[in-house]
Amino acid sequence: MSAAPANPPDPASSMVPPSMATQDEWLWGWDPTPGIVSVWADRDGRALIWRRAPGGGSVTCQRDHFRPWLLLPSLDDLAQLGPRLAAADTPEASAPGAVAYRELSGPGHLRYLVSAARGRLIEDAILAGATARLGHPIARLSELGDDAVLQLPPEEQYLVTTGRTSFRDLAFDDLHRLQFDLETTGLDPNHAAIFMVAVRDNRGLERVLDVAESKLEGPAAEADVIRRLVALVRAADPDVIENHNLHGFDLPFLARRAEILRVPLALGRAGPAGLGRRPSSRGYGPWRGEAGEANPGENGPGTNGSGANGPGTNGSGGDRRGPGRFTIVGRELIDTLDAVRRYDFSARDLPGHGLKAVARHFGLAPEGREYVAGAQVYSTWLADPARVRHYALDDVTEAAGLARLLGGAAFALARMAPRRYERLADAGPATGVLDPLIVRAYLRAGAALPARPASTGIPHSGAALYLFAAGVARRIVKADVASLYPSLMRQYAIGPAADRIGALLALVDRLVEQRLAAKARARAAAPGSPERHTDEALSAAMKILVNSAYGYLGAPGLTRFADVHAANEVTRRGREVLGAICRGLAARGATLLEGDTDGVYFSVPDTWTEADERRVVAEVAALLPPLVRLEFEGRYAAMLSHEPKNYALLTYDGQTHLRGVAFRSSRAEPFGEVFLRRAIGALLAGDVPGVRAAYVETVTALRLHALPSDQVAARVRLTKTPAEYEATRSTRREAAYEAMLAVGRTRWERGEHVRIYRAAGGRPLPLLEADGAGADDAGLGASADSSPSDPREYDAAYYIQLLRASFAARLARAFTPDDFAALFDDPRQPSLFAPPLESIHPVLTPITDAPTAD
DNA sequence: TCAATCCGGGG
DNA sequence: GTGTACGGATTGA
């Protein structure tokens, strides 16, 4: 089949509101082809489509052709084509070397849809025309600037013109998903080697490859492991490859080792060996180091032109712009770290983003989970290979569980947006998902696209966020304003002024409506069933999209239809609604604690029943505009409100939930974490003496050196090489490196984790790891008993000061300053004026300048 | 107390 | 396809 560019209806009709059927096409595409699991296309209009039979049956590959296309503001640069430039509906337009054009409707800037049998025909013509017009050579379309051309990657051109999307009629588990995890002797692939790979998939595969299995030694054994990994992946033939930090560690490491050892990485379903690259903004870009450690030469993984690119890949020499992701033809590469970040961006309840911590948080850790500290993996393997095999398999098992738990949203997005699944998994929702949907809608409607608005400098006012009171309150109710901003956009039809066909509002409408339906279906399905997973994932995806519609408005320079005035109007209405909610609740006797666009926390009188709580929420909800839904979400026994979006909750069945960055500290010293948990538990239970006891006992234990050193050690990462630190040492001393130098260690590896503590006078020293001193991952409780050789020469005064200033401080809002001082007074020198413990009660302090910008 | 810098993940 | 994060902790002045 040959897909034609999107077919415009009569331009005059595009001003009428789009029909429901049209809106659904904008959201879902229109071609029903089921089972697409991967698409690969080139600029000359060749496409390969891998499709899986429904229910997870076999995969077939089909060839397809499409007419590459792009959008231009004028045809001037194509004029020199003469008769080879032809209107799309004329016979001349279908001649082999012809460039066809069609003028789109409306006032939009990008108004010419230009297509040809091969994309290069268009590109070469434009470059020649622009070179002649500008009088200097133009080698790439990107040199012409943002508004001079809109050209999508080939796969997206294909998906937009065909109206196809991935995964129609497939469930998440129908995809063949494979996880692999490298175990290496270190973090830098220029010096360290792969000695083991754990592999599993969702079809029952579970295998560990290691260098000991062959009779080979050294590099030959490692190369053999890589070859066996490649063979195993090809034989399994998965649609998706997943792991935690896949793009940040496993792939760049594997690519570099394969390059050094000259092993071809023929992992794809077609095309040349070697990993491809795609540029990517998110995830690994802004981070210093990242795979830069994998290629410490200069920049990121996209750098090292000599890098993992197979000889056939193109463009690597030029992309010195650091960040990038790897690609494999025919398979989607999914990094669970992206899903974790996307999740925690709104949830803010993860203790860290590492695999082990997240898996434990979600209860995904397998029974008998084996833990080995990163730095000890190789030495442990030498002594006890079975233990490391177990550990590595546990890693891939957790990665698979995480992918399934948090990865559903990206899967569902790929059923809507004309983009590869792997791109949707790491994209920001506004530019990464909404923009492609809107571009597809415009082409489907035959409407010209506006130029991208420049940043106007008009500040947009930001989301409303209120902290009304800080401290401790009881009888807490959380009322949720479901998707406040998108509801307001719908209620008052606030959309981008330039959105002539109303695509953004139509999408928001469809998303909100269909999300409610998906939620209802999920509730009706059996827990744990594939149907439920599908609808929960769909609901999560739609929530991501709906909630990014407002951010889309407020990002000029980034999104094509940004409109700061519209964004500010949404915010203004939001403040109105939030104000109405707060007044309504206060008028009915509630005490407000915190409110933002997600919802409101408030405290109610002791005499209220749950029915009273629900009734009040319903009464206030009735005061709001019809499309704004205020719902009762939950109730809690007590709350410590610390800062906006930072609080602790006690449920009625006695569980404590900590939320917000102030209560997350993966790097913190274990004794402080233990103290904080205990103190907050006592505080919320109303047990002030218990808070004091937690403090006194911790101080005493420090003073008597009853705590082992690993309880006071902080885990830090050495990101500078010895030479780099030497260069900055005179201007800026850093404890981690000083600790190394203090014991005469002048060599370490970039990325190495060490634990350090403060000895007398606050002098940093490394913690000498007792051999086999287990896991170094946060929250694993470190070791129960310390090695007998632990000298415990830590600086108690330093840690007592830290306990008060850093940990106890997070309880400061719960007491008056005097009470706080008394509660966390030095037990050896109690103040004469300290109030008796029994007289101390937690307080709730109103915040006077409540409105703040988020 | 304030400004500047570094951190996040993977072995 | 390009570039953007961000909020907390630590360090030195």
Side-chain angles (χ1 to χ4, degrees), chain A residues 545-570:
Chain A
L545 276 183
V546 159
N547 286 339
S548 64
Y550 162 76
Y552 184 99
L553 289 178
L558 223 61
T559 57
R560 189 160 295 281
F561 288 91
D563 183 336
V564 174
H565 292 292
N568 286 342
E569 176 65 4
V570 174

Side-chain angles (χ1 to χ4, degrees), chain A residues 452-475:
Chain A
R452 196 188 297 246
S455 187
T456 55
I458 301 174
H460 100 79
S461 27
L465 173 66
Y466 303 87
L467 183 66
F468 297 100
V472 175
R474 313 209 161 267
R475 296 190 157 267

Side-chain angles (χ1 to χ4, degrees), chain A residues 303-350:
Chain A
T303 323
N304 216 338
S306 63
N309 279 332
T313 45
N314 178 28
S316 61
D319 73 335
R320 56 172 53 92
R321 291 242 173 214
R325 299 257 178 158
F326 293 91
T327 61
I328 295 177
V329 176
R331 308 191 204 281
E332 305 292 309
L333 301 176
I334 300 294
D335 191 334
T336 50
L337 183 55
D338 292 320
V340 164
R341 288 182 177 149
R342 192 180 261 178
Y343 166 86
D344 203 38
F345 184 77
S346 54
R348 297 168 189 255
D349 63 354
L350 294 178

Side-chain angles (χ1 to χ4, degrees), chain A residues 232-279:
Chain A
L232 188 55
V233 169
R234 294 180 66 92
D237 194 26
D239 307 316
V240 182
I241 295 176
E242 298 167 326
N243 196 20
H244 202 65
N245 206 15
L246 179 71
H247 286 284
F249 179 72
D250 298 270
L251 288 175
F253 199 105
L254 178 64
R256 182 73 183 125
R257 294 309 295 169
E259 182 192 27
I260 290 171
L261 299 165
R262 301 184 177 281
V263 179
L265 283 184
L267 289 164
R269 280 171 156 161
L275 303 180
R277 311 272 188 162
R278 72 184 156 99

Side-chain angles (χ1 to χ4, degrees), chain A residues 144-439:
Chain A
L144 294 172
D146 238 9
D147 290 325
V149 57
L150 172 69
Q151 185 187 33
L152 302 180
E155 293 85 4
E156 296 178 19
Q157 292 179 36
Y158 175 81
L159 292 171
V160 166
T161 58
T162 58
R164 294 182 164 188
T165 67
S166 304
F167 309 148
R168 288 199 204 279
D169 302 339
L170 288 181
F172 186 83
D173 296 310
D174 290 339
L175 294 194
H176 187 168
R177 323 183 73 97
L178 177 142
Q179 301 80 31
F180 80 87
D181 186 53
L182 304 184
E183 302 302 331
T184 68
T185 60
L187 292 166
D188 178 352
N190 291 304
H191 306 115
I194 300 166
F195 67 89
M196 176 184 287
V197 189
V199 189
R200 79 176 288 286
D201 73 3
N202 62 344
R203 305 282 218 264
L205 171 67
E206 197 171 276
R207 185 86 68 79
V208 177
L209 313 171
D210 70 35
V211 292
E213 288 173 299
S214 67
K215 299 282 173 265
L216 303 167
E217 301 266 333
E222 185 190 7
D224 184 60
V225 166
I226 296 175
R227 270 189 286 269
R228 279 148 57 209
L229 171 66
V230 170
L232 188 55
V233 169
R234 294 180 66 92
D237 194 26
D239 307 316
V240 182
I241 295 176
E242 298 167 326
N243 196 20
H244 202 65
N245 206 15
L246 179 71
H247 286 284
F249 179 72
D250 298 270
L251 288 175
F253 199 105
L254 178 64
R256 182 73 183 125
R257 294 309 295 169
E259 182 192 27
I260 290 171
L261 299 165
R262 301 184 177 281
V263 179
L265 283 184
L267 289 164
R269 280 171 156 161
L275 303 180
R277 311 272 188 162
R278 72 184 156 99
S280 155
S281 50
R282 281 169 61 91
Y284 300 92
W287 283 17
R288 216 189 91 92
E290 49 103 2
E293 290 155 7
N295 289 330
E298 304 184 4
N299 319 336
T303 323
N304 216 338
S306 63
N309 279 332
T313 45
N314 178 28
S316 61
D319 73 335
R320 56 172 53 92
R321 291 242 173 214
R325 299 257 178 158
F326 293 91
T327 61
I328 295 177
V329 176
R331 308 191 204 281
E332 305 292 309
L333 301 176
I334 300 294
D335 191 334
T336 50
L337 183 55
D338 292 320
V340 164
R341 288 182 177 149
R342 192 180 261 178
Y343 166 86
D344 203 38
F345 184 77
S346 54
R348 297 168 189 255
D349 63 354
L350 294 178
H353 294 169
L355 176 66
K356 283 81 173 168
V358 177
R360 285 163 53 90
H361 176 87
F362 287 117
L364 294 169
E367 191 76 15
R369 213 296 186 206
E370 185 72 68
Y371 293 102
V372 181
Q376 265 104 55
V377 166
Y378 183 58
S379 58
T380 304
W381 181 74
L382 291 174
D384 186 356
R387 184 169 162 217
V388 176
R389 276 190 209 107
H390 184 178
Y391 162 78
L393 280 176
D394 282 343
D395 267 9
V396 283
T397 303
E398 287 186 348
L402 207 50
R404 187 167 196 282
L405 184 72
L406 299 182
F411 173 81
L413 287 175
R415 299 167 73 166
M416 301 179 230
R419 251 192 189 178
R420 283 187 69 159
Y421 172 37
E422 62 181 19
R423 264 196 97 185
L424 294 166
D426 69 64
T431 54
V433 192
L434 278 174
D435 242 2
L437 287 172
I438 294 174
V439 166

